Amino acid sequence: LLSARYIAAPGGIELNSPSFPLAFKGEQYLLYENPTALPWHSLVPAAQVVSSQDEALELLKEGKVDLRRTVLLEKEPPGILSGEGDPDRDQVERQVYDLAGGRVVLKTRSEGPRLLLIAENYFPNWQATVDGQPAQLLRADFVWQAVYLPAGEHQVELQYHSRAVSLSRWAAFSLKPCVMKNAVEPTTAPNAMSGLCCNANHTIAVSSMETTA
């Protein structure tokens, strides 16, 4: 719920919490607002290193950490967070946000070193670069991702690399000429060709589903 602005619940379930006021009531579902939702991407000036995921989860439950100013990490960041500059002047611009294609590009500006917090689930298949150079991707706030940035302007890119996804994309691309040929030459081996193209379309659909999962 850290970055969720709204919470949808079936009509028979009521939260009854002042922290989540009711925003909409329909026949089949209720929509609650989360006024304290964090931005999807933000620059954070400080970090607190925890000894385990259990400790991070406990701190989140207790609500004793200001997550707009401090990121919970499981290891030390690769650079010093000196706290310089005014965090309220920091800027994050989203340039590319293609989760289906496994690519996110953000442009940032800050007066001091920061952690770029990205509210997407941490997973080892994500890889990060800063200004074209490989960068360490940190697990942050138990579930999210973070990248250390020195002061100044930077371009941060995240790409999802998976052998299974890469093979499915290659298969879909390789079979594409078959689909085109079948459209141009419908009289050439119609039974075998139509069956293969049906499989090609099925592979493309499976590839799309795997990428967005």
Side-chain angles (χ1 to χ4, degrees), residues 24-44:
F24 175 80
K25 184 175 183 179
E27 294 183 359
Q28 298 182 351
Y29 70 94
L30 303 174
L31 192 65
Y32 296 90
E33 185 178 3
N34 180 13
T36 61
L38 300 175
W40 217 248
H41 313 105
S42 59
L43 292 168
V44 185

Side-chain angles (χ1 to χ4, degrees), residues 11-25:
I13 299 178
E14 295 186 6
L15 296 184
N16 293 325
S17 171
S19 300
F20 304 107
L22 182 65
F24 175 80
K25 184 175 183 179

Side-chain angles (χ1 to χ4, degrees), residues 92-106:
V92 181
E93 177 186 345
R94 187 166 70 182
Q95 296 186 319
V96 177
Y97 193 69
D98 181 12
L99 291 183
R103 184 168 180 255
V104 176
V105 180
L106 304 169

Side-chain angles (χ1 to χ4, degrees), residues 28 50 60 78 111 114 174 190 192 212:
Q28 298 182 351
V50 298
L60 291 172
E111 298 175 350
R114 301 285 189 264
S174 299
T212 57

Side-chain angles (χ1 to χ4, degrees), residues 23-137:
F24 175 80
K25 184 175 183 179
E27 294 183 359
Q28 298 182 351
Y29 70 94
L30 303 174
L31 192 65
Y32 296 90
E33 185 178 3
N34 180 13
T36 61
L38 300 175
W40 217 248
H41 313 105
S42 59
L43 292 168
V44 185
Q48 178 178 337
V49 179
V50 298
S51 58
S52 66
Q53 294 181 14
D54 289 340
E55 182 183 356
L57 189 57
E58 190 63 29
L59 288 171
L60 291 172
K61 289 180 179 178
E62 294 175 354
K64 294 181 179 180
V65 179
D66 182 359
L67 298 178
R68 296 181 184 273
R69 291 291 183 261
T70 303
V71 176
L72 298 178
L73 299 177
E74 296 178 14
K75 61 173 65 176
E76 292 287 345
I80 297 175
L81 294 167
S82 60
E84 296 176 358
D86 182 1
D88 293 332
R89 295 166 60 95
D90 294 345
Q91 298 179 13
V92 181
E93 177 186 345
R94 187 166 70 182
Q95 296 186 319
V96 177
Y97 193 69
D98 181 12
L99 291 183
R103 184 168 180 255
V104 176
V105 180
L106 304 169
K107 184 178 181 181
T108 69
R109 176 184 297 175
S110 64
E111 298 175 350
R114 301 285 189 264
L115 284 168
L116 172 61
L117 183 64
I118 304 163
E120 295 294 343
N121 288 342
Y122 176 85
F123 198 71
N125 283 1
W126 283 102
Q127 297 179 9
T129 61
V130 176
D131 301 327
Q133 299 300 314
Q136 185 178 10
L137 193 61

Side-chain angles (χ1 to χ4, degrees), residues 182 188-199:
N182 188 44
T188 304
N191 294 333
M193 186 62 70
S194 61
L196 180 58
C197 291
C198 177
N199 290 337

